[in-house]
Each structure stands twice: as C-alpha cells, then as structure tokens.
Amino acid sequence: MKKLVYTLLTLVLIFSACKKENIEGCTDSTMFNYNPFANTDNGTCETFIYGCTNQIAINYNTAANSNDGSCIGACIGCLHQGGIVFYLNANGGGLIAAPSDPLTGDTVATWGCYTDTIVGANGMDIGTGQENTDDILEGCTTPLIAADICDNLTIGAYDDWFLPSKDELNEMYSNIGQGNALGLGNVGGFADSDSDYMSSTEIDAYNAWCQYFNNNGLQDYHDKIMTTYVRAVRAF
C-alpha cells in the first residue's frame, strides 16, 4: 500500500512540474529588470544605466534607469527643459522662459482682437498665463497674434509654451532680465529699448498689460492693435 501511495505522489509531482506556468522575462540577476519569477528568458534584459532620474532636476538624464544621487535642483537663471528658469515654487517646479524671442529683427506681434473682450483672459497672478493663453486662442482666431505664436512654439521636445501673465512677465524681468533682482543680469537676453513685452493679461476690449524691459521696468497698458516683443514661457 505504501509503495502505491509513493508512486501516486511521484506521478502527481511529475504532472505538476509538467503543468508549471511559463513565465517570460529577464532571468539574469545582474540586470536592471531582473524578474525573479521568470523561468524563461525573453531577451529583454537591460543593463543598469546610472544618472539623475529626477525629471525636475537640471541634469535629468533621460537615458538613466538608476539614480546615482547626482541630481542638481533647478535654479533661477539655469538652463532647463528648453529654456531659462526664472521662477521656482515651493513644490520643486516653476516657470521657464524661452531662451530668445520667437520673432527676430523688427518683427513683433499684436495682442489681437481689438474691440473684443476675451472672457477669462484677465488673470494677473503667477500661474494664470496658460489659462489666459487658452482663453485668448478660444476667443480670438486671428493668426500670428502673441498668444498664437507662443502656443505654436516648439523648442526641442517641448511644445507647451504660452504667453506669460502680467505677474509672470514681471518675475521674468526681475529675475533674469534688466531688473537684476538676483544679481544675474540680463541672462534672458531681453531687448533693452523703449519697446515693451506683451503679457496675456487683458485689461478691457482695447488694452492689455505689458512691461518695458529696460532699466525702468514699467508695467503699463498697451493697445491690443499695437505691436510688442513676445517671450514665451512654460511650466515644469
């Protein structure tokens, strides 16, 4: 009887082994994506690539899969994700200015839709520029206005640019422009003349906020049909 039981148990074990689930994956324990549950190697093993894996760090390495502790926090005036950081918030993010004006020479842009009030495009605070831009584009279909130029800008892998709000524009002027609040100088390469830069903040059907990027740094209103310099920004 014992012999029969032993034989049956042996057959059960053999049958169980034959029915073992096939699990594909990387079976090399020295690889980054080693799968300890895999029993069939499928050729997907990846080596360890060390670098900074924090996407908001200024030295973020898109090829790295293992953090080596080398990450450097974003800093105002530093090049980062397509432009120059000019504002940092308390959560490790902030705002980036394009490295140059999207238009060259004497080519400047209007705010657009003179005599029309654009609903919602009156945000002044930092963090309202994107919404202002979206509202402008929804309510004003005139091509090549300032908001349209920013919205269609692509620098490297980044295509989420917008026209800055009144306070975002002032922060740009103060930190990386002629305002020189941090002692960095005009690292943004802004035009130093009597011409001004346009914000996305509308005042009324005829005017919008702008800022002069000279030593005066005056924030003023501007007719929406008049041309101004444009500098796109994006959030990170």
Side-chain angles (χ1 to χ4, degrees):
M1 183 68 179
K2 290 183 178 180
K3 185 176 180 181
L4 177 61
V5 171
Y6 176 78
T7 301
L8 289 173
L9 287 173
T10 302
L11 291 173
V12 168
L13 290 173
I14 293 173
F15 178 76
S16 297
C18 291
K19 295 291 287 183
K20 186 176 181 180
E21 181 182 0
N22 182 48
I23 303 174
E24 294 187 349
C26 175
T27 59
D28 187 339
S29 61
T30 67
M31 293 293 159
F32 167 72
N33 60 331
Y34 166 62
N35 184 354
F37 301 104
N39 53 36
T40 303
D41 197 289
N42 62 358
T44 62
C45 291
E46 301 175 11
T47 58
F48 284 89
I49 303 175
Y50 292 96
C52 174
T53 58
N54 187 343
Q55 294 187 19
I56 67 171
I58 62 175
N59 61 329
Y60 168 58
N61 184 349
T62 57
N65 55 33
S66 302
N67 201 312
D68 63 357
S70 66
C71 294
I72 302 171
C75 61
I76 293 177
C78 294
L79 293 175
H80 184 50
Q81 294 187 5
I84 306 167
V85 177
F86 70 92
Y87 169 77
L88 293 172
N89 60 34
N91 301 316
L95 294 171
I96 295 168
S100 61
D101 299 342
L103 305 174
T104 59
D106 295 328
T107 305
V108 286
T110 65
W111 199 92
C113 289
Y114 187 70
T115 74
D116 294 334
T117 299
I118 305 301
V119 177
N122 58 355
M124 294 187 180
D125 298 338
I126 292 176
T128 60
Q130 179 68 75
E131 183 177 350
N132 285 346
T133 301
D134 292 342
D135 289 334
I136 294 169
L137 296 175
E138 182 177 349
C140 183
T141 59
T142 304
L144 298 180
I145 58 174
D148 182 52
I149 291 168
C150 294
D151 183 66
N152 285 291
L153 181 65
T154 298
I155 299 176
Y158 305 102
D159 60 1
D160 54 349
W161 301 91
F162 56 90
L163 187 65
S165 69
K166 175 179 178 286
D167 289 356
E168 290 167 348
L169 191 62
N170 185 62
E171 194 79 2
M172 207 173 0
Y173 165 80
S174 298
N175 290 343
I176 62 171
Q178 289 88 331
N180 200 26
L182 304 178
L184 301 176
N186 184 20
V187 295
F190 298 97
D192 188 0
S193 68
D194 291 335
S195 295
D196 49 4
Y197 281 83
M198 182 60 72
S199 82
S200 59
T201 306
E202 184 182 62
I203 297 174
D204 54 34
Y206 306 94
N207 302 285
W209 283 104
C210 63
Q211 179 152 357
Y212 290 90
F213 270 62
N214 52 26
N215 292 331
N216 183 13
L218 175 68
Q219 285 192 297
D220 202 357
Y221 67 89
H222 204 312
D223 288 349
K224 295 196 295 184
I225 56 172
M226 296 181 69
T227 57
T228 64
Y229 287 103
V230 176
R231 182 64 65 97
V233 303
R234 62 178 300 272
F236 71 98

